[in-house]
Amino acid sequence: MWDDAFPSFLIGLREGLEAGLIVSILVATLVRAGAKSRLPQVWTGVLAAIALAMSFGAVLTFTAASLSATAQESFGGTLSIIAVAFVTAMVFWMRRSARSLSGEIKEKVTGALAMGSGMLIVTSFLAVGREGLETALFLWTTARAAGESVGPMIGAGVGLVIAAGLCWGLYRRVLKINLTKFFTATGAVLIVIAAGVLGYGLRDLQEGGVLPGKAAFAFDLSQSIDPSAWYTTLVQGVFNLMPTMTWLQVIGYVGYLAIVMTLFVRGVRTAAKPAPKPAPAPAAQPNGEQAPVAKDGAAEVASAEEGPAEGEAADGDAPETQPTAQPESASASAGAGRKRPAWLVPVAVVAVPAVVAGGIVAFGTSKPAGAPTIAVSEKECGKGFTAPKPGRQTFQMQNTGDKTSEVYLVDPGTNAVYGEIEGLAPGTTRDLVATIAGGSYAWRCVPTGGKAVTSAAVRVSGGGGAKAVVPVAEQDLAAPLRAYKQYVDHGLATLTDQTQKLSDDLAGDDLDAARTDWLTAHRTYSSLGAAYGTFEDFDKKINGRADGLPDGVHDKDFTGFHRIEYGLWHGASAAELSGPAQQLHDDVMGLRKAFPTQAFDPGDLPLRTHEILENTLQFELTGDTDEGSGSNLATADANLAGTQELLNVLRPLIAKREPQLLASIESDIARMQKLLDDAHHDGTWTPVEKLDATTRQRLNGVTGQLLEHLAPVPDLLEIRKSA
């Protein structure tokens, strides 16, 4: 929580200090002008700005909550980009304006005094409102990135309280701060944080389908970094850097940081070497004192210090500048004839933003006109459901029970699914959009830990065709699971013989044979990709990487295929590798013995059709796992073979539901296989880094296209409960 709080603390401190300085200067100017009776107008504008910021935050929160998951990703990503733009502009503006802030505010206050009370309210409202809106937007963005709101809210609250204390100290002349240096230092930190927010926003836009490259990962350290470690939490919470990032995220992060930080530092250096100017003579104050001269960014401090101090206008002394008090009297006399309550204007300006926000939330998140509300629970499943009209329809699904539930719109005769919602929490309502055609429809409610319930069916006449998914039950995957287990068991038997041969090669001091037999064994293991999740700790021992280990490739816990690969291609002797090879063989034998008793979730089969090649794109086709053999494409070829085997056992289920999808997948596999075959000559595989740019681009493109066609398979073959 505290890691998530830091970015919000910093923005609360900066924005709070910026807004507080403006308010301090407003108050100090009015007090010194003898217009203390006008202070309520300043506070009215401040309260209105706070109400606007809070209302804006409410609109963001509740409007986003009413969107679909994909729309939420796009909405959040867009606002993240906007937040980065605002923060960047704020950082540069404050760096540039810190020295002259007090003078600008004094000019505005003087003009507002001459134009009446309304203008003074507007001046304070605009001065504080901008900071409030920026704070609300940045808080919403950081809370969404953190996945929780407590930490960011606490951080922002602490920052605002400290900012208020600093402003009070400046106003009362008990504290001095070089604000130019303060805003420069915090600005540099905020630029780094904003780069992380930009990366997070780009990922959201990719997840929402707005930007491409969703599966084009630059790196994936999730298997080598402990997600619960304090340093991992700190980096993720403060900088929004994740163990897995796409190329677009990395380019956006690095590009933003390089460009913006360079411009910021260059601007700081320029500001630090101003052109010499003749020093103006100090102006005499009405009491005979000399005005404080700004030095090294302290101009704003001196201005803020012009408030009541040691008898100055604190006890009702005569105003120092009479002319500015005259407009107040004129305004008061003009309004004497129309008495109105003193509280009316403050209440109005504070209430208006809240009322407008309430209207936006109420009407912006309300259900579409004519959308029926359907109850979801064990006792009331489908209550409120009547025969809908043909065409695209929106249903409001409201969980009226006490358990989180899944709900499906089904054809009760065939159990075909037309629409679904997963994880509908008690008391919540979400939209379900489905296309309705002629046929029978019913609702199926599946409470967590409860019994599936199907509502009464309704009949719809007319309309065109509606696409439905034939559900998959656990027993439907029983035969494919048995077939795949047999495939894995046979592969492990073969692998045991191959690792024994590798160990024998090294025991006989035959390094050339060991390199050949290493690749053969590693390809066999790589073709068993769908079982990786079932292998438990054995996979880390057999195929673990050095990433994240304290001593890297020399760490004592670096074992398995990649440990031996590093030694074989980096000059290690056979004697040095005999121990790791024997350990690899023992681990493979342990896996073969344990596999029949390991739990293999049937739902993992459809999921792995996509995940095997997703890992291939991340690790093999980037050369990330190469420890010297240059055999990443050989491993990719084995991964493709493993995917084909998995599709073979699932083929009857896919063909029954989406035959055209299966044809597209097979076409993509053939294209990828040809590109891999072209990189294999006389038993030697071309290293990834030695592929020409065109071939590498084509290979990545074909793999990405195949992944897009494989992506629907897990949803298509998802296990769904039936009544």
Side-chain angles (χ1 to χ4, degrees):
M1 181 179 71
W2 296 110
D3 304 305
D4 296 330
F6 178 75
S8 298
F9 163 76
L10 191 61
I11 198 71
L13 179 62
R14 267 193 65 104
E15 295 283 15
L17 185 56
E18 185 176 340
L21 282 172
I22 294 173
V23 174
S24 297
I25 296 170
L26 283 168
V27 172
T29 305
L30 288 175
V31 171
R32 291 183 62 81
K36 289 169 56 176
S37 62
R38 307 289 289 276
L39 290 179
Q41 298 162 11
V42 174
W43 299 123
T44 297
V46 171
L47 288 175
I50 294 173
L52 177 65
M54 295 179 68
S55 301
F56 180 56
V59 169
L60 291 178
T61 300
F62 293 106
T63 302
S66 68
L67 300 174
S68 65
T70 301
Q72 283 191 38
E73 299 287 356
S74 302
F75 182 71
T78 301
L79 288 185
S80 295
I81 305 301
I82 295 174
V84 170
F86 279 166
V87 169
T88 306
M90 175 265 293
V91 166
F92 280 90
W93 179 83
M94 203 59 196
R95 188 208 68 200
R96 183 180 63 253
S97 304
R99 293 174 178 270
S100 59
L101 179 64
S102 62
E104 295 177 3
I105 295 297
K106 279 186 176 181
E107 292 178 4
K108 293 180 180 179
V109 174
T110 303
L113 282 170
M115 298 180 67
S117 60
M119 185 53 65
L120 192 56
I121 293 174
V122 171
T123 299
S124 58
F125 172 78
L126 293 178
V128 179
R130 187 189 67 178
E131 279 66 46
L133 292 176
E134 290 176 352
T135 303
L137 179 57
F138 195 83
L139 275 179
W140 185 87
T141 303
T142 52
R144 189 173 186 278
E148 54 100 11
S149 58
V150 176
M153 292 301 293
I154 290 177
V158 172
L160 290 171
V161 169
I162 294 177
L166 293 175
C167 289
W168 181 87
L170 292 170
Y171 179 79
R172 301 299 301 179
R173 285 187 176 181
V174 297
L175 180 67
K176 286 189 177 183
I177 298 177
N178 189 314
L179 294 177
T180 299
K181 292 183 178 179
F182 172 83
F183 284 119
T184 298
T186 55
V189 178
L190 271 180
I191 288 173
V192 177
I193 293 174
V197 174
L198 175 63
Y200 180 84
L202 292 174
R203 181 58 179 168
D204 273 354
L205 292 175
Q206 288 179 310
E207 294 287 351
V210 178
L211 294 177
K214 176 181 176 180
F217 292 98
F219 58 83
D220 186 346
L221 306 178
S222 57
Q223 294 183 357
S224 55
I225 291 180
D226 182 4
S228 62
W230 66 268
Y231 54 85
T232 305
T233 306
L234 180 66
V235 171
Q236 291 185 8
V238 175
F239 302 110
N240 274 310
L241 289 175
M242 301 300 168
T244 303
M245 295 182 71
T246 64
W247 280 109
L248 181 61
Q249 285 181 281
V250 172
I251 292 171
Y253 182 92
V254 174
Y256 172 88
L257 198 59
I259 295 173
V260 176
M261 188 65 79
T262 300
L263 294 175
F264 182 77
V265 172
R266 184 178 299 171
V268 170
R269 291 176 178 174
T270 302
K273 300 177 181 179
K277 295 181 180 180
Q285 297 291 310
N287 56 9
E289 297 180 4
Q290 298 297 321
V293 179
K295 183 179 180 181
D296 294 335
E300 55 274 3
V301 179
S303 299
E305 291 171 353
E306 292 181 2
E310 300 178 351
E312 267 192 349
D315 54 358
D317 290 349
E320 298 181 23
T321 52
Q322 296 295 334
T324 56
Q326 292 176 359
E328 178 189 2
S329 302
S331 176
S333 61
R338 53 181 193 278
K339 294 287 185 180
R340 64 185 178 191
W343 52 265
L344 183 60
V345 173
V347 170
V349 296
V350 172
V352 167
V355 171
V356 172
I360 293 174
V361 171
F363 293 102
T365 63
S366 61
K367 63 182 181 180
T373 298
I374 313 297
V376 178
S377 71
E378 290 178 285
K379 296 181 179 179
E380 298 182 319
C381 184
K383 182 179 178 181
F385 183 47
T386 57
K389 295 180 180 179
R392 190 171 178 82
Q393 301 292 335
T394 299
F395 302 95
Q396 291 278 311
M397 310 308 299
Q398 183 179 33
N399 191 336
T400 58
D402 57 359
K403 299 177 181 177
T404 299
S405 181
E406 299 176 4
V407 59
Y408 306 102
L409 179 62
V410 302
D411 181 337
T414 64
N415 287 325
V417 178
Y418 292 91
E420 63 184 302
I421 292 179
E422 298 180 353
L424 184 63
T428 60
T429 302
R430 283 163 59 185
D431 287 351
L432 187 151
V433 181
T435 300
I436 304 299
S440 295
Y441 295 87
W443 293 102
R444 179 161 296 146
C445 306
V446 187
T448 301
K451 183 180 179 181
V453 179
T454 303
S455 72
V458 299
R459 185 77 186 174
V460 176
S461 301
K467 186 176 181 180
V469 175
V470 179
V472 173
E474 190 165 337
Q475 59 267 28
D476 294 329
L477 287 170
L481 182 59
R482 284 194 301 271
Y484 193 77
K485 279 187 172 182
Q486 291 175 0
Y487 165 76
V488 173
D489 192 60
H490 177 73
L492 290 175
T494 302
L495 182 63
T496 302
D497 295 338
Q498 291 171 342
T499 54
Q500 180 62 64
K501 190 171 187 308
L502 173 61
S503 181
D504 293 342
D505 292 337
L506 292 169
D509 199 23
D510 191 344
L511 291 175
D512 289 336
R515 293 187 184 96
T516 301
D517 292 334
W518 174 90
L519 182 57
T520 301
H522 190 238
R523 279 171 52 81
T524 297
Y525 183 79
S526 299
S527 67
L528 308 178
Y532 287 169
T534 306
F535 289 169
E536 299 173 349
D537 293 337
F538 284 104
D539 181 55
K540 186 175 182 180
K541 296 176 182 178
I542 294 172
N543 205 41
R545 293 179 292 156
D547 299 5
L549 295 177
D551 296 324
V553 294
H554 303 293
D555 196 275
K556 60 182 179 58
D557 293 327
F558 183 35
T559 62
F561 279 111
H562 291 298
R563 165 68 181 91
I564 299 171
E565 177 190 9
Y566 181 83
L568 285 173
W569 276 272
H570 285 84
S573 66
E576 291 175 305
L577 297 176
S578 292
Q582 184 59 49
Q583 182 180 350
L584 171 63
H585 177 65
D586 293 343
D587 289 335
V588 169
M589 289 186 65
L591 173 59
R592 183 186 178 190
K593 181 179 179 180
F595 179 70
T597 63
Q598 290 176 328
F600 201 135
D601 186 349
D604 282 349
L605 286 180
L607 191 62
R608 296 292 189 267
T609 59
H610 183 272
E611 287 185 343
I612 295 174
L613 290 181
E614 188 174 50
N615 288 339
T616 302
L617 186 62
Q618 294 176 45
F619 301 125
E620 310 306 334
L621 299 188
T622 60
D624 186 62
T625 56
D626 182 24
E627 293 293 354
S629 67
S631 62
N632 281 123
L633 293 185
T635 306
D637 183 71
N639 289 339
L640 184 60
T643 301
Q644 287 179 290
E645 182 63 33
L646 189 56
L647 287 169
N648 285 338
V649 301
L650 295 173
R651 182 181 302 276
L653 295 176
I654 301 174
K656 182 179 179 181
R657 290 159 178 81
E658 199 75 53
Q660 293 181 343
L661 177 63
L662 193 59
S664 298
I665 291 173
E666 291 173 343
S667 175
D668 290 338
I669 287 177
R671 292 169 60 202
M672 183 176 178
Q673 186 65 67
K674 184 178 186 308
L675 289 172
L676 291 172
D677 290 343
D678 290 343
H680 187 207
H681 305 283
D682 300 326
T684 302
W685 292 85
T686 304
V688 170
E689 64 272 13
K690 292 188 178 180
L691 291 174
D692 63 82
T694 301
T695 301
R696 191 167 183 177
Q697 185 176 11
R698 287 178 60 197
L699 183 57
N700 288 332
V702 168
T703 307
Q705 182 66 48
L706 176 54
L707 282 171
E708 287 188 19
H709 285 142
L710 288 170
V713 174
D715 290 333
L716 198 66
L717 302 185
E718 180 184 355
I719 297 175
R720 295 175 171 90
K721 294 182 181 179
S722 59

